[in-house]
Amino acid sequence: MDDLETRELRYFVAVAEELHFGRAAQRLGMAQPPLSRAIQQLERRLGVGLLERDRRGVALTAAGEVLLREGRATLDAAAAAARRARRAGGADGPGERLVLAAKAAGSHELLQKLLDAHAAEPGAAEVEVLLCGLCEQEAMLRDGRADVALMYTPFNSLVGFDSEELATEGQVAILPAAHPLAARTTLSLADISDVPGLPLARWPRRDGGYPPGPGPEIRDQTQLAQLVALGRTVAVFPEYGRSWLWAEHAAVPLTDAPPVVTHIAWPPHSRSRALAGLVRTATRL
Amino acid sequence: MDDLETRELRYFVAVAEELHFGRAAQRLGMAQPPLSRAIQQLERRLGVGLLERDRRGVALTAAGEVLLREGRATLDAAAAAARRARRAGGADGPGERLVLAAKAAGSHELLQKLLDAHAAEPGAAEVEVLLCGLCEQEAMLRDGRADVALMYTPFNSLVGFDSEELATEGQVAILPAAHPLAARTTLSLADISDVPGLPLARWPRRDGGYPPGPGPEIRDQTQLAQLVALGRTVAVFPEYGRSWLWAEHAAVPLTDAPPVVTHIAWPPHSRSRALAGLVRTATRL
DNA sequence: CGCCGTGATACCTGCCAGGTATCACAGCGC
DNA sequence: GCGCTGTGATACCTGGCAGGTATCACGGCG
């Protein structure tokens, strides 16, 4: 059967995400009629209805859901192909360059040790560090902006990547130093989940949404630090968070929070010497 | 930057595989000049040389190698998107259908048990079994011909898939019943690797090539069975091979061959109820 | 009953993918 | 040396299709 063109997938993904032909067309920088036509053609070629148009917006069919998921993966793969090929050709003079994606709020100590150890290796590839927000490493690996990433389970998902475990650590409660609970030597999740006047901070889920609850929605570490210092919230955070604590903060170990495991992860089928070297260095730390 | 179209990737992959514009064009069902032009355009758009033309054939540059690997993955993803969407829409009447890929020469017992157990589950999805050759399950999962597969490490690679371990077993030497070694109760790899007049059969590697050596190149299990029965070769094979032995064959356990682990594997990010049910059934066997 | 806002249709046009014919060049047999 | 063959590149043309504009059909809503 004839293949899907990435153009068609781009169009479909835009419509499926917006659930609105007009807005999708605008986002794609084109007029609405050709977009409608393109989607109709796609449906005819696949022999399957993708969208349920009912005069008041648009809904995905089961087949549409599948194509949205697989289409996104395909577009990521295409973007990755372009980026990686471009990079492989651009800098063939000084040897390969690696792009390492890491959470900006991640463990500075580990990152520093990894970069130092790698730089000390003879013939090590140059490593560019790409710091990202809370959950973007996965997307960066998938679409080729990064070659390798530091990921933290259970926050990041390792599904679809190769990885090696680097370290395991507990989590702490980060709370205002002045709060009575800050004096405790250990806490449990139950202790901090229903404190009057000190709601539990809410981290974004993988889909970008937030779990329900009274606490503030956290977008980055700075914001969290400020909120805790102001006495407005308490948060669960990995041990390495101790390194950025303010005087107004206190960290108390949590006995029953799930442990956080740091992994180094990379796209499957990557077989470059530079990447292998960095991974080897990392596992030896 | 503007995306790559799958058309361009198809063209490039064809040329990169053939290393010959004329043959590639023929394979693509088009004339050579537009193909040359398309590749030139692609190189200009990426800003990177992909092929080294030197008047006597064509060679891949470093960037070309990268684009070949990533391009194949992208094309597989696109094919998978089309197939899975088509299937998701086609059979929405009787519930989801699953396509299970399994090696034709794999363990019949395990497959039978899995299918029986799954069929006994209430509300189980219909499972279509797709039997394939020696190493095709990976490609089938990647390009959407199958939804889930039984894979055998170390023969299959699990890189890029999610999987669960199902069983572990040893390997046996399969040799002519009349041969003196057939009388032994156990053997080591050293015992069978240099037997005069009985060379070791060579299995295909993952890239489709064969390791060097004097023994015959094996393409399927029937061929192997015939060769062993004729006294022409000895082969290393998982325990489950005992089920298809002929009277002319003997199987002797190998003490130092790597164990074979059976996994059930599926593409990452598959989150269908039907698949989850089959995997759950499999892990409970 | 007009008036939006939705997606679909009709129709036109310019671009580009692809075809044919040909070139430029390197090896090679004589 | 001189064709001959086989390589990829170039020149030029054409048809189809992607995309634009104008408009329709229709459902909610004041």
Side-chain angles (χ1 to χ4, degrees):
Chain A
M1 203 72 41
D2 44 2
D3 280 293
L4 296 182
E5 287 302 321
T6 62
R7 185 179 50 83
E8 306 179 271
L9 287 176
R10 252 192 332 269
Y11 290 1
F12 175 72
V13 168
V15 174
E17 283 178 354
E18 300 283 348
L19 292 177
H20 189 291
F21 279 79
R23 279 196 301 275
Q26 196 172 359
R27 194 172 109 185
L28 292 166
M30 65 187 292
Q32 169 259 320
L35 180 59
S36 283
R37 222 186 12 181
I39 301 289
Q40 288 173 331
Q41 278 177 4
L42 179 60
E43 288 179 309
R44 254 186 295 119
R45 281 191 30 211
L46 289 175
V48 154
L50 299 170
L51 297 167
E52 209 75 65
R53 290 92 154 160
D54 87 324
R55 192 72 60 193
R56 197 72 182 170
V58 172
L60 285 171
T61 64
E65 303 258 16
V66 170
L67 190 64
L68 175 57
R69 186 160 30 78
E70 304 266 338
R72 276 181 180 143
T74 306
L75 292 177
D76 280 342
R83 284 210 187 84
R84 298 216 168 97
R86 215 172 251 140
R87 212 129 50 66
D92 47 359
E96 280 176 274
R97 272 168 70 109
L98 280 176
V99 178
L100 169 70
K103 230 177 274 211
S107 163
H108 169 72
E109 187 196 347
L110 178 71
L111 190 53
Q112 185 76 64
K113 263 170 46 186
L114 173 58
L115 293 176
D116 287 349
H118 185 253
E121 291 283 319
E126 194 178 341
V127 174
E128 181 179 340
V129 177
L130 203 57
L131 292 177
C132 51
L134 291 174
C135 267
E136 301 170 63
Q137 299 106 307
E138 301 165 51
M140 296 214 162
L141 277 190
R142 263 196 310 262
D143 72 8
R145 279 173 293 171
D147 301 305
V148 57
L150 292 179
M151 308 241 256
Y152 301 89
T153 59
F155 309 127
N156 296 118
S157 159
L158 295 171
V159 166
F161 302 113
D162 268 16
S163 64
E164 290 281 350
E165 207 171 307
L166 295 186
T168 303
E169 57 198 321
Q171 297 199 67
V172 296
I174 296 184
L175 28 73
H179 196 277
L181 284 176
R184 300 271 292 269
T185 54
T186 65
L187 287 167
S188 72
L189 287 176
D191 290 331
I192 59 169
S193 53
D194 276 310
V195 186
L198 198 68
L200 199 56
R202 287 179 293 146
W203 295 102
R205 288 187 308 240
R206 281 188 200 135
D207 62 8
Y210 286 87
E217 299 184 346
I218 301 303
R219 274 183 305 279
D220 58 57
Q221 172 251 313
T222 312
Q223 180 201 9
L224 173 66
Q226 191 63 253
L227 283 167
V228 173
L230 290 170
R232 301 294 182 89
T233 194
V234 55
V236 177
F237 204 92
E239 284 272 4
Y240 58 69
R242 289 181 184 277
S243 62
W244 54 258
L245 289 191
W246 303 357
E248 295 86 351
H249 295 152
V252 179
L254 285 162
T255 52
D256 56 351
V260 175
V261 185
T262 307
H263 292 81
I264 186 166
W266 59 95
H269 312 115
S270 306
R271 272 294 151 234
S272 89
R273 301 187 56 74
L275 173 60
L278 181 64
V279 171
R280 198 167 355 97
T281 303
T283 54
R284 282 200 199 130
L285 283 185
Chain B
M1 203 73 40
D2 44 4
D3 279 294
L4 296 182
E5 286 302 320
T6 63
R7 185 179 50 83
E8 307 179 90
L9 287 176
R10 249 189 339 267
Y11 290 2
F12 174 74
V13 168
V15 175
E17 283 178 355
E18 299 283 349
L19 292 177
H20 189 291
F21 280 78
R23 278 196 301 275
Q26 197 172 0
R27 193 173 109 183
L28 292 164
M30 65 187 292
Q32 168 260 320
L35 180 57
S36 284
R37 224 187 10 182
I39 300 290
Q40 289 172 330
Q41 278 177 6
L42 179 59
E43 288 179 307
R44 252 185 297 119
R45 282 191 29 213
L46 289 176
V48 154
L50 299 171
L51 297 167
E52 208 76 64
R53 290 92 154 161
D54 87 321
R55 193 70 63 193
R56 197 71 183 169
V58 171
L60 286 172
T61 65
E65 303 257 16
V66 170
L67 190 64
L68 175 57
R69 186 160 31 78
E70 303 267 338
R72 277 180 179 143
T74 306
L75 292 177
D76 280 342
R83 269 196 264 266
R84 298 216 168 96
R86 214 172 252 140
R87 211 129 51 67
D92 47 358
E96 280 176 274
R97 272 168 69 111
L98 280 176
V99 178
L100 169 71
K103 230 177 271 210
S107 163
H108 169 71
E109 187 195 348
L110 177 72
L111 189 54
Q112 185 75 63
K113 262 170 44 187
L114 172 59
L115 292 175
D116 287 349
H118 185 253
E121 291 283 319
E126 195 179 338
V127 174
E128 180 180 339
V129 178
L130 203 57
L131 293 175
C132 52
L134 290 175
C135 267
E136 299 169 64
Q137 299 106 307
E138 301 165 52
M140 294 211 164
L141 278 190
R142 263 196 310 263
D143 73 9
R145 278 174 294 172
D147 300 305
V148 56
L150 292 178
M151 308 240 257
Y152 301 89
T153 59
F155 310 127
N156 296 118
S157 159
L158 295 172
V159 167
F161 301 112
D162 268 16
S163 64
E164 289 282 349
E165 206 171 307
L166 295 186
T168 303
E169 57 199 319
Q171 297 199 68
V172 296
I174 296 183
L175 30 72
H179 196 276
L181 284 176
R184 300 271 293 270
T185 55
T186 65
L187 287 168
S188 72
L189 287 176
D191 290 332
I192 59 169
S193 53
D194 277 311
V195 186
L198 198 68
L200 198 56
R202 286 180 293 148
W203 295 102
R205 288 187 308 238
R206 281 187 201 136
D207 62 8
Y210 285 87
E217 299 183 346
I218 301 303
R219 273 183 307 279
D220 59 55
Q221 173 252 314
T222 313
Q223 179 202 13
L224 173 68
Q226 190 65 253
L227 283 167
V228 172
L230 290 170
R232 301 295 181 88
T233 194
V234 54
V236 177
F237 203 92
E239 283 274 3
Y240 58 67
R242 289 179 184 278
S243 61
W244 54 256
L245 290 189
W246 302 359
E248 295 87 351
H249 295 153
V252 179
L254 284 162
T255 53
D256 56 352
V260 175
V261 185
T262 306
H263 292 81
I264 185 165
W266 59 95
H269 314 296
S270 307
R271 271 295 150 233
S272 88
R273 301 189 55 75
L275 174 60
L278 181 64
V279 170
R280 195 163 1 93
T281 303
T283 54
R284 281 200 199 132
L285 283 183

